[in-house]
Amino acid sequence: MSDQYQRSVTVSWDDVSVRADAALSFLSRLTGLITGEPRAVYFPGTRSIHTCLMNYTIDVLFLDNSGIATRVVPALPPWRVAACRRANAVLEMPAGFCRLPSAGQRLSVTQEPQHA
């Protein structure tokens, strides 16, 4: 986990479990997956994301307060914006990172313990 991420979360559905860095700082929220590292990033308290400055497509899951996938955006190209008014969090992953859930499906978001 990069120094700019203070914690990780695990987002699970069906038989899929994704470990994601939680983007909590201004810098981590601004950069997201721009660094190109093959990982997932979780943005709590977010309703929209962008793929500016990226050179690859990403899969995006928008989640509401109860963990329901309110919108699923597969293979969002670079230089685009995606949003969902009902969302309270976003999970970004490189396109094809894993099998995506369906919109309306409940996901489990678990905070991992912090390491010193």
Side-chain angles (χ1 to χ4, degrees), residues 65-86:
N65 285 332
S66 58
I68 301 291
T70 54
R71 183 176 180 202
V72 177
V73 183
L76 183 67
W79 297 98
R80 301 293 194 285
V81 173
C84 179
R85 193 178 317 182
R86 295 172 297 162

Side-chain angles (χ1 to χ4, degrees), residues 42-47 61-71 84-90 105-110:
Y42 179 76
F43 297 86
T46 301
R47 294 183 179 156
L61 305 179
F62 291 91
L63 309 174
D64 70 6
N65 285 332
S66 58
I68 301 291
T70 54
R71 183 176 180 202
C84 179
R85 193 178 317 182
R86 295 172 297 162
N88 188 49
V90 177
Q105 188 170 351
R106 181 176 302 276
L107 284 65
S108 169
V109 179
T110 308

